[in-house]
Amino acid sequence: MASYGMNDVKNGQKIIVENQPCVIIDTAYVKPGKGQAFTRVKYRNIKSGRVVELTMKSTDSLEAADVVDTDMEYLYSDGEFWHFMDPTSHEQFTADQGAMADSAQWLKGNETCIVTLWNNSPLIVAAPTFVELQIVETDPGLRGDTSGGGGKPAKLETGATVRVPLFVQNNEVIKCDTRTGEYVGRVK
């Protein structure tokens, strides 16, 4: 297994700490006026979400995690698990609620998602950056409503709720940013 030394660690790298997969979120190389240089590493446990800070000396190393990010097609949800398929090998994987997090509210079927696999099981599922979904319920807009003023909540076909401009109506298809949960525009 590969390992990272004090000068090799970078933001975004996946590592193993106490047999748990983690991702490095911040690194700082420190050269004090007196004494040895060191690297301060801040990492987040992927499973629990806990953030921990670690100081690495020149003799320390961190083990690289055997984590793979792959594009997979979302198939369906059976209520408890979400099912994905690798488009090249047609192998199917099931993800639980912990792996899905907020991504579940943006998926309706056949979207390509980035699935992070650790020991051949889904660890994190990232929904596509932009999705096009139909509005199933929103308040009616009034004559004279413009895009400049306010907004209203709209419930989408997947169950997600997004704030939309006043002129957007029921049954319209809109584009949403899954990272922020915001309305981007109407789809023609």
Side-chain angles (χ1 to χ4, degrees):
M1 184 60 64
S3 64
Y4 301 120
M6 179 181 90
N7 297 322
D8 301 327
V9 292
K10 293 177 181 56
N11 295 355
Q13 287 178 328
K14 313 262 188 325
I15 57 173
I16 297 285
V17 178
E18 297 173 5
N19 292 327
Q20 294 290 314
C22 301
V23 62
I24 296 174
I25 55 176
D26 189 35
T27 59
Y29 181 77
V30 180
K31 176 78 171 101
K34 190 174 188 181
Q36 257 188 332
F38 60 91
T39 301
R40 190 170 291 125
V41 177
K42 194 180 286 187
Y43 63 89
R44 180 175 21 89
N45 186 314
I46 295 175
K47 285 186 169 182
S48 69
R50 200 177 94 189
V51 176
V52 179
E53 197 169 288
L54 165 81
T55 301
M56 291 181 69
K57 295 179 271 188
S58 61
T59 56
D60 296 341
S61 66
L62 294 171
E63 185 180 348
D66 188 18
V67 175
V68 180
D69 290 338
T70 59
D71 288 340
M72 290 195 186
E73 184 180 348
Y74 169 64
L75 300 175
Y76 66 94
S77 171
D78 60 13
E80 187 178 352
F81 294 103
W82 287 260
H83 299 268
F84 295 87
M85 180 182 69
D86 186 336
T88 54
S89 68
H90 300 289
E91 187 177 356
Q92 292 190 12
F93 297 89
T94 58
D96 61 359
Q97 179 62 44
M100 292 301 294
D102 291 337
S103 297
Q105 68 180 343
W106 302 110
L107 303 178
K108 64 179 180 178
N110 299 331
E111 291 94 353
T112 300
C113 301
I114 297 172
V115 179
T116 303
L117 297 173
W118 182 57
N119 291 342
N120 227 16
S121 66
L123 193 59
I124 303 171
V125 175
T129 306
F130 297 102
V131 292
E132 296 176 358
L133 298 170
Q134 185 175 11
I135 296 175
V136 294
E137 183 183 328
T138 189
D139 296 332
L142 302 173
R143 183 174 171 83
D145 287 342
T146 62
S147 64
K152 60 184 179 181
K155 187 173 182 180
L156 305 176
E157 62 186 306
T158 59
T161 302
V162 176
R163 192 145 188 84
V164 297
L166 297 169
F167 59 83
V168 177
Q169 301 297 320
N170 279 338
N171 300 323
E172 284 193 64
V173 178
I174 62 170
K175 187 176 189 177
C176 298
D177 186 338
T178 61
R179 298 167 298 185
T180 60
E182 293 179 353
Y183 164 86
V184 175
R186 291 192 281 188
V187 177
K188 305 252 187 259

